Amino acid sequence: MEAYFDNNATTRMDERVLETMLPFFKDVFANPSSMHRKGQEANVHMEKSREKICEILGIEPLELVFTASGTESNNLAIRGAVKAYKKRGNHIITSRIEHPAVLTTIKELEKEGYEVSYIDVDTNGVLDIEQLKKEIRETTILVSIMHANNETGVIQPIAEIGKIVKEKGIVFHVDAVQTVGKLEVKPKEMGVDLLTFSGHKFYGPKGVGALFIKMGTRLTKILTGGHQERKRRPGTHNVPGIVGMAKALELCEMERKEDYKREKELRDYFEEEMLKRVPEIMLNGKEADRLPGTSSVTFKYLEGESILLRLDFKGIAVSSGSACSSDDLKASHVLLAMEIPIEFAHGTIRFSLGKYNTKEEIDYALEVIPPVIEGLRNMSPLWNEFINK
Ligand SMILES: *Cc1c(COP(=O)(O)O)cnc(C)c1O
């Protein structure tokens, strides 16, 4: 049996998305910026896709820029905004738990001389709004806070933060890569000026993302080249990707409520059973509002990587900490920000379910995991020390 529980890293593309994309690799392949009929035909389809996405998000077609990824959208939003508002100040506010695409971008800017306030989260992973309020200065030009965290699934009160930031007239960027397609996301109702999302996180293709740029928000472009996307993002459009992302979002929107309910039921069942079957575990962010399919489980006295490898051997795909830190074995900055002791943070596994997961897969995991954990603990000096106490 095989079970893919790594949907926060990427999702399997929906067959219906693939079908929609295929003609755009074959017949309708022309460059949508070309003036001939073939090009204009591609352009019509691309603009229809843009309208479809905008309708779902409640925004205007002029307010959406296509990019090559969530990472690129985050870079464009953050670097583009601080450059455009440079005369007004040099202070940025973000959280300690952002995705590396935001955090490392802001760390770079900090090296270049920008001042940065990193807002804490509580032990459930929810942002300290009072601290955010206190950190706002005359020179604050950008606030960047993620919608849902990729490691824990914990959802931030974006509308509440948006209200505070808006009152001060500061640009508000939200990394919504983990929520678009899963939750209802209406950037304008949440007081958001810039919002990032990415096709491959909601059953669309990889290599295509987008950035909502609210009308009136100034943004300096970060790439130089042609005039595409009204000079905001140069580069030949990824038409199959854009068409596929629009189709994927449309499907998610249609099936969102059922998918949410199914995923949440499976996740809750998984967590309840895990608590019964495996001693000394922690469910991170359990008390907070969370994405329906994400379960961050800390197996005390173990290393996440050894659990991951054992589960992989049994056909179960999971992630330890965040996928992006899996090549350096540092403890997750997200879990540390939640004050999970470093020695426990190392033993954390993220199970992220998606719409293709079944009850059978969960039952298989529930059968496989307890003996794997027991086996590893029997060899763990930390565990034996704990047991002998
Ligand atoms: C995956 C992810 C990204 C990066 O998106 P890519 O399209 O893979 O570049 C950014 N932020 C969050 C929260 C993510 O989960």
PDB file of all heavy atoms in Angstrom, residues 65-99:
ATOM      1  N   VAL A  65      -1.461  39.533 -11.435  1.00  0.00           N
ATOM      2  CA  VAL A  65      -0.261  39.336 -12.241  1.00  0.00           C
ATOM      3  C   VAL A  65       0.159  37.870 -12.151  1.00  0.00           C
ATOM      4  O   VAL A  65       0.244  37.308 -11.060  1.00  0.00           O
ATOM      5  CB  VAL A  65       0.881  40.265 -11.741  1.00  0.00           C
ATOM      6  CG1 VAL A  65       2.219  39.840 -12.311  1.00  0.00           C
ATOM      7  CG2 VAL A  65       0.587  41.712 -12.120  1.00  0.00           C
ATOM      8  N   PHE A  66       0.394  37.255 -13.304  1.00  0.00           N
ATOM      9  CA  PHE A  66       0.863  35.868 -13.314  1.00  0.00           C
ATOM     10  C   PHE A  66       2.376  35.812 -13.174  1.00  0.00           C
ATOM     11  O   PHE A  66       3.093  36.630 -13.755  1.00  0.00           O
ATOM     12  CB  PHE A  66       0.441  35.173 -14.619  1.00  0.00           C
ATOM     13  CG  PHE A  66      -1.040  34.963 -14.726  1.00  0.00           C
ATOM     14  CD1 PHE A  66      -1.764  35.493 -15.788  1.00  0.00           C
ATOM     15  CD2 PHE A  66      -1.718  34.237 -13.756  1.00  0.00           C
ATOM     16  CE1 PHE A  66      -3.135  35.297 -15.895  1.00  0.00           C
ATOM     17  CE2 PHE A  66      -3.091  34.041 -13.842  1.00  0.00           C
ATOM     18  CZ  PHE A  66      -3.804  34.575 -14.912  1.00  0.00           C
ATOM     19  N   THR A  67       2.837  34.832 -12.396  1.00  0.00           N
ATOM     20  CA  THR A  67       4.268  34.629 -12.170  1.00  0.00           C
ATOM     21  C   THR A  67       4.586  33.150 -12.372  1.00  0.00           C
ATOM     22  O   THR A  67       3.703  32.384 -12.787  1.00  0.00           O
ATOM     23  CB  THR A  67       4.676  35.025 -10.736  1.00  0.00           C
ATOM     24  OG1 THR A  67       4.079  34.090  -9.826  1.00  0.00           O
ATOM     25  CG2 THR A  67       4.226  36.430 -10.381  1.00  0.00           C
ATOM     26  N   ALA A  68       5.810  32.770 -12.058  1.00  0.00           N
ATOM     27  CA  ALA A  68       6.203  31.370 -12.242  1.00  0.00           C
ATOM     28  C   ALA A  68       6.094  30.540 -10.964  1.00  0.00           C
ATOM     29  O   ALA A  68       6.285  29.327 -11.010  1.00  0.00           O
ATOM     30  CB  ALA A  68       7.620  31.288 -12.788  1.00  0.00           C
ATOM     31  N   SER A  69       5.770  31.159  -9.843  1.00  0.00           N
ATOM     32  CA  SER A  69       5.668  30.382  -8.598  1.00  0.00           C
ATOM     33  C   SER A  69       5.212  31.256  -7.429  1.00  0.00           C
ATOM     34  O   SER A  69       5.229  32.492  -7.522  1.00  0.00           O
ATOM     35  CB  SER A  69       7.030  29.780  -8.224  1.00  0.00           C
ATOM     36  OG  SER A  69       7.963  30.822  -7.962  1.00  0.00           O
ATOM     37  N   GLY A  70       4.860  30.585  -6.352  1.00  0.00           N
ATOM     38  CA  GLY A  70       4.572  31.306  -5.122  1.00  0.00           C
ATOM     39  C   GLY A  70       5.809  32.052  -4.645  1.00  0.00           C
ATOM     40  O   GLY A  70       5.731  33.192  -4.179  1.00  0.00           O
ATOM     41  N   THR A  71       6.953  31.422  -4.795  1.00  0.00           N
ATOM     42  CA  THR A  71       8.211  32.048  -4.390  1.00  0.00           C
ATOM     43  C   THR A  71       8.438  33.356  -5.141  1.00  0.00           C
ATOM     44  O   THR A  71       8.793  34.381  -4.543  1.00  0.00           O
ATOM     45  CB  THR A  71       9.380  31.071  -4.656  1.00  0.00           C
ATOM     46  OG1 THR A  71       9.160  29.891  -3.888  1.00  0.00           O
ATOM     47  CG2 THR A  71      10.718  31.686  -4.296  1.00  0.00           C
ATOM     48  N   GLU A  72       8.216  33.318  -6.450  1.00  0.00           N
ATOM     49  CA  GLU A  72       8.410  34.537  -7.236  1.00  0.00           C
ATOM     50  C   GLU A  72       7.401  35.615  -6.834  1.00  0.00           C
ATOM     51  O   GLU A  72       7.754  36.797  -6.723  1.00  0.00           O
ATOM     52  CB  GLU A  72       8.308  34.253  -8.739  1.00  0.00           C
ATOM     53  CG  GLU A  72       8.711  35.480  -9.541  1.00  0.00           C
ATOM     54  CD  GLU A  72       8.267  35.455 -11.003  1.00  0.00           C
ATOM     55  OE1 GLU A  72       8.138  34.376 -11.588  1.00  0.00           O
ATOM     56  OE2 GLU A  72       8.029  36.541 -11.545  1.00  0.00           O
ATOM     57  N   SER A  73       6.157  35.219  -6.626  1.00  0.00           N
ATOM     58  CA  SER A  73       5.139  36.199  -6.220  1.00  0.00           C
ATOM     59  C   SER A  73       5.520  36.869  -4.897  1.00  0.00           C
ATOM     60  O   SER A  73       5.352  38.075  -4.728  1.00  0.00           O
ATOM     61  CB  SER A  73       3.772  35.529  -6.081  1.00  0.00           C
ATOM     62  OG  SER A  73       3.335  35.046  -7.330  1.00  0.00           O
ATOM     63  N   ASN A  74       6.025  36.056  -3.955  1.00  0.00           N
ATOM     64  CA  ASN A  74       6.443  36.624  -2.670  1.00  0.00           C
ATOM     65  C   ASN A  74       7.600  37.601  -2.857  1.00  0.00           C
ATOM     66  O   ASN A  74       7.637  38.670  -2.249  1.00  0.00           O
ATOM     67  CB  ASN A  74       6.852  35.513  -1.695  1.00  0.00           C
ATOM     68  CG  ASN A  74       5.652  34.827  -1.059  1.00  0.00           C
ATOM     69  OD1 ASN A  74       4.552  35.379  -1.036  1.00  0.00           O
ATOM     70  ND2 ASN A  74       5.844  33.624  -0.566  1.00  0.00           N
ATOM     71  N   ASN A  75       8.535  37.239  -3.708  1.00  0.00           N
ATOM     72  CA  ASN A  75       9.671  38.138  -3.987  1.00  0.00           C
ATOM     73  C   ASN A  75       9.208  39.434  -4.628  1.00  0.00           C
ATOM     74  O   ASN A  75       9.644  40.520  -4.242  1.00  0.00           O
ATOM     75  CB  ASN A  75      10.695  37.444  -4.900  1.00  0.00           C
ATOM     76  CG  ASN A  75      11.751  36.704  -4.110  1.00  0.00           C
ATOM     77  OD1 ASN A  75      12.804  37.250  -3.796  1.00  0.00           O
ATOM     78  ND2 ASN A  75      11.452  35.474  -3.734  1.00  0.00           N
ATOM     79  N   LEU A  76       8.314  39.313  -5.615  1.00  0.00           N
ATOM     80  CA  LEU A  76       7.807  40.500  -6.304  1.00  0.00           C
ATOM     81  C   LEU A  76       7.051  41.409  -5.322  1.00  0.00           C
ATOM     82  O   LEU A  76       7.252  42.625  -5.308  1.00  0.00           O
ATOM     83  CB  LEU A  76       6.892  40.079  -7.467  1.00  0.00           C
ATOM     84  CG  LEU A  76       6.170  41.191  -8.223  1.00  0.00           C
ATOM     85  CD1 LEU A  76       7.153  42.206  -8.799  1.00  0.00           C
ATOM     86  CD2 LEU A  76       5.324  40.600  -9.365  1.00  0.00           C
ATOM     87  N   ALA A  77       6.230  40.798  -4.493  1.00  0.00           N
ATOM     88  CA  ALA A  77       5.436  41.586  -3.539  1.00  0.00           C
ATOM     89  C   ALA A  77       6.346  42.333  -2.568  1.00  0.00           C
ATOM     90  O   ALA A  77       6.219  43.549  -2.372  1.00  0.00           O
ATOM     91  CB  ALA A  77       4.486  40.660  -2.769  1.00  0.00           C
ATOM     92  N   ILE A  78       7.289  41.613  -1.976  1.00  0.00           N
ATOM     93  CA  ILE A  78       8.095  42.189  -0.899  1.00  0.00           C
ATOM     94  C   ILE A  78       9.156  43.145  -1.442  1.00  0.00           C
ATOM     95  O   ILE A  78       9.225  44.312  -1.047  1.00  0.00           O
ATOM     96  CB  ILE A  78       8.743  41.054  -0.065  1.00  0.00           C
ATOM     97  CG1 ILE A  78       7.645  40.272   0.657  1.00  0.00           C
ATOM     98  CG2 ILE A  78       9.755  41.616   0.926  1.00  0.00           C
ATOM     99  CD1 ILE A  78       8.086  38.926   1.179  1.00  0.00           C
ATOM    100  N   ARG A  79       9.948  42.656  -2.376  1.00  0.00           N
ATOM    101  CA  ARG A  79      11.001  43.518  -2.945  1.00  0.00           C
ATOM    102  C   ARG A  79      10.380  44.678  -3.705  1.00  0.00           C
ATOM    103  O   ARG A  79      10.869  45.811  -3.633  1.00  0.00           O
ATOM    104  CB  ARG A  79      11.899  42.717  -3.890  1.00  0.00           C
ATOM    105  CG  ARG A  79      12.727  41.659  -3.180  1.00  0.00           C
ATOM    106  CD  ARG A  79      13.583  40.905  -4.216  1.00  0.00           C
ATOM    107  NE  ARG A  79      14.149  39.704  -3.636  1.00  0.00           N
ATOM    108  CZ  ARG A  79      15.291  39.681  -2.944  1.00  0.00           C
ATOM    109  NH1 ARG A  79      15.976  40.775  -2.751  1.00  0.00           N
ATOM    110  NH2 ARG A  79      15.724  38.542  -2.425  1.00  0.00           N
ATOM    111  N   GLY A  80       9.297  44.392  -4.450  1.00  0.00           N
ATOM    112  CA  GLY A  80       8.649  45.430  -5.245  1.00  0.00           C
ATOM    113  C   GLY A  80       8.040  46.519  -4.382  1.00  0.00           C
ATOM    114  O   GLY A  80       8.148  47.710  -4.699  1.00  0.00           O
ATOM    115  N   ALA A  81       7.426  46.139  -3.264  1.00  0.00           N
ATOM    116  CA  ALA A  81       6.775  47.137  -2.404  1.00  0.00           C
ATOM    117  C   ALA A  81       7.801  47.982  -1.652  1.00  0.00           C
ATOM    118  O   ALA A  81       7.684  49.205  -1.603  1.00  0.00           O
ATOM    119  CB  ALA A  81       5.829  46.446  -1.417  1.00  0.00           C
ATOM    120  N   VAL A  82       8.834  47.344  -1.087  1.00  0.00           N
ATOM    121  CA  VAL A  82       9.778  48.151  -0.298  1.00  0.00           C
ATOM    122  C   VAL A  82      10.542  49.135  -1.196  1.00  0.00           C
ATOM    123  O   VAL A  82      10.871  50.233  -0.769  1.00  0.00           O
ATOM    124  CB  VAL A  82      10.765  47.308   0.553  1.00  0.00           C
ATOM    125  CG1 VAL A  82      10.024  46.466   1.568  1.00  0.00           C
ATOM    126  CG2 VAL A  82      11.686  46.460  -0.286  1.00  0.00           C
ATOM    127  N   LYS A  83      10.772  48.738  -2.430  1.00  0.00           N
ATOM    128  CA  LYS A  83      11.433  49.644  -3.375  1.00  0.00           C
ATOM    129  C   LYS A  83      10.515  50.811  -3.710  1.00  0.00           C
ATOM    130  O   LYS A  83      10.949  51.962  -3.727  1.00  0.00           O
ATOM    131  CB  LYS A  83      11.802  48.892  -4.658  1.00  0.00           C
ATOM    132  CG  LYS A  83      13.270  48.590  -4.776  1.00  0.00           C
ATOM    133  CD  LYS A  83      13.597  48.105  -6.195  1.00  0.00           C
ATOM    134  CE  LYS A  83      15.074  47.805  -6.322  1.00  0.00           C
ATOM    135  NZ  LYS A  83      15.358  47.113  -7.582  1.00  0.00           N
ATOM    136  N   ALA A  84       9.267  50.498  -3.978  1.00  0.00           N
ATOM    137  CA  ALA A  84       8.324  51.539  -4.400  1.00  0.00           C
ATOM    138  C   ALA A  84       8.045  52.540  -3.272  1.00  0.00           C
ATOM    139  O   ALA A  84       7.752  53.704  -3.521  1.00  0.00           O
ATOM    140  CB  ALA A  84       7.026  50.899  -4.886  1.00  0.00           C
ATOM    141  N   TYR A  85       8.105  52.077  -2.026  1.00  0.00           N
ATOM    142  CA  TYR A  85       7.761  52.946  -0.885  1.00  0.00           C
ATOM    143  C   TYR A  85       9.000  53.370  -0.086  1.00  0.00           C
ATOM    144  O   TYR A  85       8.895  53.793   1.077  1.00  0.00           O
ATOM    145  CB  TYR A  85       6.738  52.250   0.018  1.00  0.00           C
ATOM    146  CG  TYR A  85       5.381  52.129  -0.649  1.00  0.00           C
ATOM    147  CD1 TYR A  85       5.052  51.004  -1.400  1.00  0.00           C
ATOM    148  CD2 TYR A  85       4.444  53.156  -0.559  1.00  0.00           C
ATOM    149  CE1 TYR A  85       3.821  50.902  -2.041  1.00  0.00           C
ATOM    150  CE2 TYR A  85       3.206  53.063  -1.188  1.00  0.00           C
ATOM    151  CZ  TYR A  85       2.908  51.940  -1.929  1.00  0.00           C
ATOM    152  OH  TYR A  85       1.687  51.836  -2.567  1.00  0.00           O
ATOM    153  N   LYS A  86      10.155  53.287  -0.718  1.00  0.00           N
ATOM    154  CA  LYS A  86      11.427  53.550  -0.056  1.00  0.00           C
ATOM    155  C   LYS A  86      11.485  54.947   0.572  1.00  0.00           C
ATOM    156  O   LYS A  86      12.014  55.120   1.677  1.00  0.00           O
ATOM    157  CB  LYS A  86      12.549  53.398  -1.087  1.00  0.00           C
ATOM    158  CG  LYS A  86      13.892  53.126  -0.472  1.00  0.00           C
ATOM    159  CD  LYS A  86      14.914  52.802  -1.545  1.00  0.00           C
ATOM    160  CE  LYS A  86      16.267  52.569  -0.895  1.00  0.00           C
ATOM    161  NZ  LYS A  86      17.274  52.237  -1.884  1.00  0.00           N
ATOM    162  N   LYS A  87      10.905  55.928  -0.124  1.00  0.00           N
ATOM    163  CA  LYS A  87      10.967  57.312   0.366  1.00  0.00           C
ATOM    164  C   LYS A  87      10.196  57.478   1.664  1.00  0.00           C
ATOM    165  O   LYS A  87      10.456  58.383   2.447  1.00  0.00           O
ATOM    166  CB  LYS A  87      10.409  58.277  -0.691  1.00  0.00           C
ATOM    167  CG  LYS A  87      11.348  58.490  -1.863  1.00  0.00           C
ATOM    168  CD  LYS A  87      11.217  59.904  -2.451  1.00  0.00           C
ATOM    169  CE  LYS A  87      12.123  60.085  -3.650  1.00  0.00           C
ATOM    170  NZ  LYS A  87      11.429  59.746  -4.919  1.00  0.00           N
ATOM    171  N   ARG A  88       9.213  56.580   1.863  1.00  0.00           N
ATOM    172  CA  ARG A  88       8.361  56.727   3.047  1.00  0.00           C
ATOM    173  C   ARG A  88       8.995  56.116   4.302  1.00  0.00           C
ATOM    174  O   ARG A  88       8.651  56.471   5.423  1.00  0.00           O
ATOM    175  CB  ARG A  88       7.018  56.045   2.765  1.00  0.00           C
ATOM    176  CG  ARG A  88       5.872  56.688   3.493  1.00  0.00           C
ATOM    177  CD  ARG A  88       4.611  55.891   3.323  1.00  0.00           C
ATOM    178  NE  ARG A  88       3.842  56.300   2.143  1.00  0.00           N
ATOM    179  CZ  ARG A  88       2.664  55.757   1.821  1.00  0.00           C
ATOM    180  NH1 ARG A  88       2.158  54.765   2.563  1.00  0.00           N
ATOM    181  NH2 ARG A  88       2.004  56.181   0.783  1.00  0.00           N
ATOM    182  N   GLY A  89       9.904  55.167   4.107  1.00  0.00           N
ATOM    183  CA  GLY A  89      10.530  54.556   5.283  1.00  0.00           C
ATOM    184  C   GLY A  89      11.298  53.302   4.937  1.00  0.00           C
ATOM    185  O   GLY A  89      11.407  52.920   3.769  1.00  0.00           O
ATOM    186  N   ASN A  90      11.808  52.615   5.977  1.00  0.00           N
ATOM    187  CA  ASN A  90      12.644  51.435   5.722  1.00  0.00           C
ATOM    188  C   ASN A  90      12.338  50.305   6.713  1.00  0.00           C
ATOM    189  O   ASN A  90      13.164  49.449   6.964  1.00  0.00           O
ATOM    190  CB  ASN A  90      14.123  51.817   5.810  1.00  0.00           C
ATOM    191  CG  ASN A  90      14.535  52.114   7.242  1.00  0.00           C
ATOM    192  OD1 ASN A  90      13.693  52.440   8.083  1.00  0.00           O
ATOM    193  ND2 ASN A  90      15.822  51.984   7.521  1.00  0.00           N
ATOM    194  N   HIS A  91      11.111  50.328   7.272  1.00  0.00           N
ATOM    195  CA  HIS A  91      10.783  49.334   8.300  1.00  0.00           C
ATOM    196  C   HIS A  91       9.755  48.315   7.798  1.00  0.00           C
ATOM    197  O   HIS A  91       8.732  48.691   7.218  1.00  0.00           O
ATOM    198  CB  HIS A  91      10.249  50.057   9.556  1.00  0.00           C
ATOM    199  CG  HIS A  91       9.880  49.123  10.665  1.00  0.00           C
ATOM    200  ND1 HIS A  91       8.627  49.110  11.248  1.00  0.00           N
ATOM    201  CD2 HIS A  91      10.602  48.162  11.298  1.00  0.00           C
ATOM    202  CE1 HIS A  91       8.597  48.195  12.196  1.00  0.00           C
ATOM    203  NE2 HIS A  91       9.778  47.608  12.250  1.00  0.00           N
ATOM    204  N   ILE A  92      10.066  47.037   8.033  1.00  0.00           N
ATOM    205  CA  ILE A  92       9.203  45.933   7.585  1.00  0.00           C
ATOM    206  C   ILE A  92       8.764  45.138   8.809  1.00  0.00           C
ATOM    207  O   ILE A  92       9.560  44.904   9.724  1.00  0.00           O
ATOM    208  CB  ILE A  92       9.983  44.990   6.634  1.00  0.00           C
ATOM    209  CG1 ILE A  92      10.557  45.770   5.440  1.00  0.00           C
ATOM    210  CG2 ILE A  92       9.111  43.838   6.164  1.00  0.00           C
ATOM    211  CD1 ILE A  92      11.598  44.973   4.645  1.00  0.00           C
ATOM    212  N   ILE A  93       7.504  44.713   8.818  1.00  0.00           N
ATOM    213  CA  ILE A  93       7.019  43.829   9.882  1.00  0.00           C
ATOM    214  C   ILE A  93       6.629  42.488   9.264  1.00  0.00           C
ATOM    215  O   ILE A  93       5.942  42.440   8.248  1.00  0.00           O
ATOM    216  CB  ILE A  93       5.801  44.438  10.612  1.00  0.00           C
ATOM    217  CG1 ILE A  93       6.189  45.750  11.294  1.00  0.00           C
ATOM    218  CG2 ILE A  93       5.218  43.446  11.625  1.00  0.00           C
ATOM    219  CD1 ILE A  93       5.025  46.444  12.001  1.00  0.00           C
ATOM    220  N   THR A  94       7.094  41.411   9.892  1.00  0.00           N
ATOM    221  CA  THR A  94       6.690  40.073   9.450  1.00  0.00           C
ATOM    222  C   THR A  94       6.580  39.176  10.685  1.00  0.00           C
ATOM    223  O   THR A  94       6.705  39.654  11.810  1.00  0.00           O
ATOM    224  CB  THR A  94       7.692  39.513   8.406  1.00  0.00           C
ATOM    225  OG1 THR A  94       7.138  38.331   7.829  1.00  0.00           O
ATOM    226  CG2 THR A  94       9.062  39.200   9.010  1.00  0.00           C
ATOM    227  N   SER A  95       6.319  37.890  10.473  1.00  0.00           N
ATOM    228  CA  SER A  95       6.221  36.997  11.633  1.00  0.00           C
ATOM    229  C   SER A  95       7.439  36.074  11.660  1.00  0.00           C
ATOM    230  O   SER A  95       8.186  35.996  10.688  1.00  0.00           O
ATOM    231  CB  SER A  95       4.954  36.155  11.548  1.00  0.00           C
ATOM    232  OG  SER A  95       5.143  35.083  10.642  1.00  0.00           O
ATOM    233  N   ARG A  96       7.578  35.361  12.775  1.00  0.00           N
ATOM    234  CA  ARG A  96       8.697  34.419  12.901  1.00  0.00           C
ATOM    235  C   ARG A  96       8.447  33.115  12.159  1.00  0.00           C
ATOM    236  O   ARG A  96       9.345  32.283  12.061  1.00  0.00           O
ATOM    237  CB  ARG A  96       8.923  34.074  14.379  1.00  0.00           C
ATOM    238  CG  ARG A  96       9.446  35.229  15.175  1.00  0.00           C
ATOM    239  CD  ARG A  96      10.027  34.786  16.501  1.00  0.00           C
ATOM    240  NE  ARG A  96      10.438  35.977  17.231  1.00  0.00           N
ATOM    241  CZ  ARG A  96      11.550  36.662  16.965  1.00  0.00           C
ATOM    242  NH1 ARG A  96      12.379  36.236  16.028  1.00  0.00           N
ATOM    243  NH2 ARG A  96      11.827  37.747  17.631  1.00  0.00           N
ATOM    244  N   ILE A  97       7.219  32.921  11.684  1.00  0.00           N
ATOM    245  CA  ILE A  97       6.860  31.589  11.166  1.00  0.00           C
ATOM    246  C   ILE A  97       6.616  31.569   9.661  1.00  0.00           C
ATOM    247  O   ILE A  97       6.033  30.623   9.144  1.00  0.00           O
ATOM    248  CB  ILE A  97       5.596  31.066  11.880  1.00  0.00           C
ATOM    249  CG1 ILE A  97       4.416  32.018  11.650  1.00  0.00           C
ATOM    250  CG2 ILE A  97       5.848  30.865  13.368  1.00  0.00           C
ATOM    251  CD1 ILE A  97       3.067  31.372  11.910  1.00  0.00           C
ATOM    252  N   GLU A  98       7.066  32.604   8.963  1.00  0.00           N
ATOM    253  CA  GLU A  98       6.820  32.655   7.518  1.00  0.00           C
ATOM    254  C   GLU A  98       7.538  31.533   6.764  1.00  0.00           C
ATOM    255  O   GLU A  98       8.543  30.986   7.237  1.00  0.00           O
ATOM    256  CB  GLU A  98       7.287  34.009   6.966  1.00  0.00           C
ATOM    257  CG  GLU A  98       6.544  35.202   7.514  1.00  0.00           C
ATOM    258  CD  GLU A  98       5.056  35.179   7.202  1.00  0.00           C
ATOM    259  OE1 GLU A  98       4.689  34.994   6.032  1.00  0.00           O
ATOM    260  OE2 GLU A  98       4.269  35.365   8.150  1.00  0.00           O
ATOM    261  N   HIS A  99       7.043  31.262   5.573  1.00  0.00           N
ATOM    262  CA  HIS A  99       7.708  30.343   4.643  1.00  0.00           C
ATOM    263  C   HIS A  99       9.070  30.954   4.260  1.00  0.00           C
ATOM    264  O   HIS A  99       9.187  32.173   4.192  1.00  0.00           O
ATOM    265  CB  HIS A  99       6.826  30.189   3.403  1.00  0.00           C
ATOM    266  CG  HIS A  99       7.312  29.157   2.425  1.00  0.00           C
ATOM    267  ND1 HIS A  99       8.244  29.452   1.457  1.00  0.00           N
ATOM    268  CD2 HIS A  99       6.998  27.850   2.270  1.00  0.00           C
ATOM    269  CE1 HIS A  99       8.486  28.356   0.746  1.00  0.00           C
ATOM    270  NE2 HIS A  99       7.732  27.366   1.215  1.00  0.00           N
TER     271      HIS A  99
END
